[in-house]
Amino acid sequence: MTNPLLAPWDTAFEIAPFDQITDADFAPALDQALAQHQAWIKEIAENPEPATFANVIEALETPVQALEQVLSVFYTVAGADSNPERQALQRAFSPKLAAHFSSITANKALYTRIKQVWDQRDTLDLTAEQQRVLMLTHRGFLRGGAALEGQADARMQEIKSRLATLGTEFTQNLLADERDWQLELGEADLEGLPQFVVDAARAAGAEKGASGPVVTLSRSIITPFLQFSPRRDLRQKAFAAFAARGANGGETDNRAIAAEILSLRAERAALLGYDSFADYKLETEMAKTPAAVRGLLMDVWQPAVARANADADILAQMMHEDGINGDLEPWDWRYYAEKRRRVEHDLDEAELKPYLQLDRMIEASFACANRLFGLEFTPLDVPLYHADCRAWEVTRDGKHLAVFIGDYFARGSKRSGAWCSAMRAQANFPKATSPIVINVCNFAKGEPALLSWDDARTLFHEFGHALHQMLSNVSYESISGTSVARDFVELPSQLYEHWLEVPEVLREFATHAETGEAMPPELLRKVLGASTYDMGFQTVEYVASALVDLAFHEGAAPEDVMAKQTEVLAEIGMPAAITMRHATPQFAHVFSGDGYSSGYYSYMWSEVMDADAFATFEEAGGAFDPERARALETYILSTGGSVDPAELYTAFRGRLPGVEALLKGRGLVEA
């Protein structure tokens, strides 16, 4: 019987035949796909013909379909619908894949041929895009250790393999801690909670097989519980569990794993001749240096912490007026911040939430994409990996562009957070290939599903990433879509969040779940007026995480990661009632892989650009100005990594931005 992961997919738009794939298919399919890929690499490396762009670089850009099919399906379900068998497979696959791809980088014959093409680049008649791909390929092999010899080369392969194993362990430990903890609530514990929180807790209890409502460690449930529960003892218990993820001792403790990862990264950078891992990692980013990153973060930190400290004094006074003595604690902040918001802005999350229906917010994100870029979205009835998933065909002027999949609800089998990935990337070489893009979120279920304002922003954010994939129009897969500098990749996503706040969008799509009526003008005014509320808290918890990440990678790796975290937070004056958004043992952005290591600052770097970029729409004809939309697609969304990001942004805006627009946008300085 043919393995469905290896056969051609004769399905609508060649979407994976999820209904035919079983967990038993993955291991044999991966072994066969890796063998095919190894044979292809051997053929490129040992080609007796003189090295050319076509027979080396374009050959490397030619996809091995079997490997792409296996990996796209496996890592989709491993992240969004895990089970014990898939977790075991992931632990087995990680070192195997690391060894496979490391062997390619370490292939001296292959690197020799790449270097031969690189050395003759000035005599080749290459397009600008081809020149860029050649540069990135050559640089990638060098940074991967292709020029290392002997013991250094062997050690580099060992480090890569070990890092892959550790990253998988970190992720699975965090998933286990999030999955296994729950706080059961009695009927008395529900008093004071808005109905949407009660409904979410009951749905979570049903999903967990509990006898009643529960609080889980999904942000979509624990955050509103911390906002609204008048029970300080329960808030403290829930917050303590949330803060302890990855640091509970035993088999799922991530602290030693984080320390080993940092040590191996420092050694890897030293083997390649860099002073630190941060120097190595940032070399290819827009920021370029640790000093530039620290400068940006501290420019934002100072006004943010001043605002947060002033807010803390007000919240502590409110708590004391409630008869609670002592200091404001992290499990108190959200509760009193919500009470203060109701007083100062007359805005109650419970009043707002019925207007933020998931289905209507999805419609809103699609409608904005239609007005800006002419995209149309038609539902598809196709088998997917979970019943919660939905799919749409994306077209423009009747022409197929992409398939978009949305997987929106929290469940125990899904890792926390939200993300966008391409199950198939756009490319025009060796043939035109349209993307299959997926957004994964963790919203609370309900009938209907209702979002918080932060949830709605997350939906728009991830859809911004999806647009970057769907509107990509480049020749080569390696520079397609979101394959850009890490501190540029968040620009499209964070920029798209701005359209959620456009009044005409909210007037049309923010309709009440029961009455169907549009959000009243007064409530709309309150929502927009409170858009920067509690921004001191939000900025501090984020920037603190970014500064700790940077400090971890700037110098020698710390032996005690928690002591280093404490040291950094003390140096910057972290307010006692605010914690890092991602404490070290749960910092998946940094420790589940290298993606955001030394790079968590990227969200802030991109926000400098997104605040400035949206201002160009406001300065032109408004949020849907057609000329600005064309420029956004032309210079940002369609170009992938085919051009240096600083050049792309300058082409779009006419200049690079400063931090002022960000500070004004966050309300940290006067507009």
Side-chain angles (χ1 to χ4, degrees):
M1 183 176 177
T2 303
N3 190 313
L5 287 162
L6 300 174
W9 290 346
D10 185 21
T11 57
F13 309 108
E14 298 180 331
I15 298 172
F18 288 104
D19 56 338
Q20 300 173 31
I21 297 168
T22 69
D23 288 345
D25 294 322
F26 286 117
L30 181 64
D31 287 341
Q32 189 170 333
L34 289 178
Q36 290 181 21
H37 196 219
Q38 287 167 349
W40 178 236
I41 294 298
K42 186 174 188 290
E43 184 177 330
I44 299 169
E46 298 179 3
N47 188 340
E49 297 294 324
T52 66
F53 184 84
N55 67 21
V56 179
I57 307 303
E58 286 192 327
L60 288 170
E61 290 285 339
T62 303
V64 173
Q65 186 174 354
L67 186 59
E68 295 210 345
Q69 290 184 175
V70 173
L71 295 183
S72 70
V73 174
F74 179 73
Y75 281 103
T76 294
V77 298
D81 194 27
S82 189
N83 59 33
E85 186 168 357
R86 290 169 188 172
Q87 289 184 320
L89 287 170
Q90 196 171 6
R91 290 191 293 271
F93 288 178
S94 291
K96 182 180 291 190
L97 287 166
H100 172 76
F101 289 109
S102 292
S103 72
I104 295 173
T105 307
N107 188 317
K108 304 306 179 187
L110 177 60
Y111 175 63
T112 296
R113 289 180 66 78
I114 292 170
K115 191 172 185 305
Q116 287 170 351
V117 181
W118 174 250
D119 289 343
Q120 59 178 317
R121 62 190 180 279
D122 292 337
T123 66
L124 303 177
D125 185 21
L126 300 180
T127 66
E129 185 178 339
Q130 289 172 329
Q131 292 172 21
R132 175 80 173 169
V133 170
L134 173 58
M135 183 278 290
L136 292 172
T137 303
H138 179 256
R139 187 177 73 180
F141 270 74
L142 275 180
R143 288 170 55 81
L148 296 177
E149 301 286 350
Q151 188 175 349
D153 185 22
R155 180 57 181 157
M156 179 63 77
Q157 309 318 311
E158 292 173 359
I159 289 172
K160 289 180 179 179
S161 178
R162 181 61 178 159
L163 284 171
T165 297
L166 291 171
T168 297
E169 289 180 7
F170 189 98
T171 302
Q172 294 191 351
N173 288 345
L174 183 57
L175 176 62
D177 278 4
E178 292 173 343
R179 179 191 62 225
D180 295 344
W181 186 90
Q182 62 191 47
L183 174 64
E184 295 190 6
L185 301 177
E187 290 302 313
D189 301 330
L190 301 175
E191 291 182 13
L193 295 177
Q195 190 61 44
F196 75 85
V197 180
V198 174
D199 291 344
R202 293 195 192 282
E207 196 265 335
K208 291 280 191 181
S211 58
V214 302
V215 175
T216 70
L217 297 181
S218 169
R219 281 188 185 271
S220 64
I221 293 177
I222 195 169
T223 297
F225 182 77
L226 293 171
Q227 278 180 285
F228 292 105
S229 176
R231 289 281 301 278
R232 193 178 191 227
D233 59 329
L234 296 183
R235 295 201 311 268
Q236 181 176 1
K237 186 179 293 186
F239 184 88
F242 190 70
R245 292 169 299 148
N248 286 303
E251 294 182 354
T252 62
D253 198 294
N254 276 333
R255 287 170 288 192
I257 291 175
E260 186 178 354
I261 287 172
L262 293 174
S263 177
L264 290 172
R265 286 175 179 166
E267 185 181 357
R268 178 181 179 184
L271 285 172
L272 294 170
Y274 293 89
D275 292 337
S276 71
F277 185 81
D279 287 294
Y280 160 75
K281 190 67 186 298
L282 295 172
E283 178 186 50
T284 60
E285 309 299 330
M286 290 184 73
K288 302 300 182 189
T289 67
V293 173
R294 183 171 296 281
L296 166 71
L297 293 174
M298 292 309 297
D299 282 347
V300 178
W301 174 262
Q302 298 299 344
V305 77
R307 174 66 56 82
N309 285 331
D311 289 342
D313 291 340
I314 296 171
L315 300 184
Q317 180 60 37
M318 293 174 65
M319 186 179 77
H320 297 155
E321 290 170 358
D322 277 353
I324 300 173
N325 297 320
D327 296 330
L328 183 76
E329 300 288 354
W331 50 89
D332 297 316
W333 189 292
R334 289 177 176 84
Y335 179 72
Y336 284 100
E338 180 62 28
K339 290 184 71 172
R340 181 186 174 198
R341 181 169 71 160
R342 289 200 297 270
V343 172
E344 294 189 1
H345 294 276
D346 193 22
L347 181 61
D348 184 348
E349 179 93 2
E351 178 189 7
L352 172 62
K353 201 155 185 175
Y355 290 97
L356 300 177
Q357 299 176 70
L358 171 61
D359 287 348
R360 299 251 53 202
M361 291 298 101
I362 294 171
E363 288 180 46
S365 67
F366 289 176
C368 291
N370 174 263
R371 290 186 63 181
L372 289 165
F373 312 114
L375 304 186
E376 300 280 355
F377 298 83
T378 305
L380 291 173
D381 183 12
V382 293
L384 297 168
Y385 62 86
H386 194 278
D388 287 346
C389 297
R390 304 183 232 177
W392 293 264
E393 182 190 6
V394 186
T395 59
R396 178 158 59 185
D397 298 327
K399 179 183 177 183
H400 175 80
L401 281 186
V403 169
F404 175 67
I405 299 170
D407 179 2
Y408 295 108
F409 295 122
R411 53 181 176 267
S413 62
K414 183 188 290 187
R415 65 179 170 90
S416 61
W419 63 94
C420 173
S421 60
M423 294 193 67
R424 184 176 67 214
Q426 179 274 328
N428 290 320
F429 175 89
K431 64 176 183 178
T433 303
S434 61
I436 298 175
V437 186
I438 182 168
N439 276 179
V440 184
C441 300
N442 270 282
F443 304 141
K445 273 191 173 179
E447 293 295 339
L450 303 177
L451 305 183
S452 67
W453 184 251
D454 191 53
D455 287 339
R457 285 181 57 187
T458 296
L459 187 146
F460 269 70
H461 178 101
E462 297 306 333
F463 194 70
H465 281 309
L467 288 171
H468 202 180
Q469 298 275 19
M470 293 187 292
L471 291 172
S472 177
N473 186 20
V474 298
S475 296
Y476 303 103
E477 183 179 326
S478 67
I479 55 169
S480 171
T482 57
S483 297
V484 299
R486 183 65 62 175
D487 51 8
F488 191 68
V489 76
E490 298 298 336
L491 170 59
S493 55
Q494 293 180 186
L495 176 58
Y496 204 65
E497 291 178 31
H498 288 272
W499 274 272
L500 174 62
E501 296 184 354
V502 174
E504 62 187 284
V505 173
L506 288 173
R507 278 194 293 269
E508 181 175 358
F509 295 99
T511 56
H512 197 278
E514 295 179 3
T515 67
E517 294 179 358
M519 183 183 290
E522 181 62 16
L523 180 57
L524 175 61
R525 183 191 64 76
K526 294 176 188 177
V527 169
L528 298 179
S531 62
T532 60
Y533 176 70
D534 210 25
M535 197 55 74
F537 169 88
Q538 294 179 41
T539 307
V540 160
E541 65 166 4
Y542 165 78
V543 174
S545 297
L547 285 167
V548 169
D549 166 42
L550 184 64
F552 276 157
H553 296 97
E554 266 188 300
E559 293 183 9
D560 185 332
V561 292
M562 301 311 292
K564 182 65 174 179
Q565 173 183 298
T566 300
E567 174 191 323
V568 173
L569 297 180
E571 286 176 353
I572 61 177
M574 184 73 168
I578 304 178
T579 59
M580 294 166 60
R581 183 167 178 81
H582 304 288
T584 299
Q586 63 223 215
F587 209 162
H589 278 80
V590 170
F591 293 108
S592 289
D594 277 357
Y596 281 90
S597 54
S598 300
Y600 193 61
Y601 76 92
S602 300
Y603 292 93
M604 190 63 70
W605 190 275
S606 292
E607 190 175 342
V608 169
M609 290 183 286
D610 83 63
D612 183 65
F614 192 70
T616 71
F617 281 85
E618 296 175 319
E619 293 162 6
F624 295 100
D625 181 76
E627 185 279 326
R628 288 283 79 201
R630 280 192 297 272
L632 179 60
E633 179 176 355
T634 299
Y635 297 116
I636 307 294
L637 297 176
S638 69
T639 50
S642 62
V643 180
D644 180 89
E647 293 180 32
L648 289 175
Y649 191 83
T650 302
F652 168 74
R653 180 59 160 127
R655 56 165 174 76
L656 290 174
V659 74
E660 296 79 13
L662 178 147
L663 294 175
K664 292 176 182 176
R666 284 185 168 240
L668 298 176
V669 298
E670 292 300 322

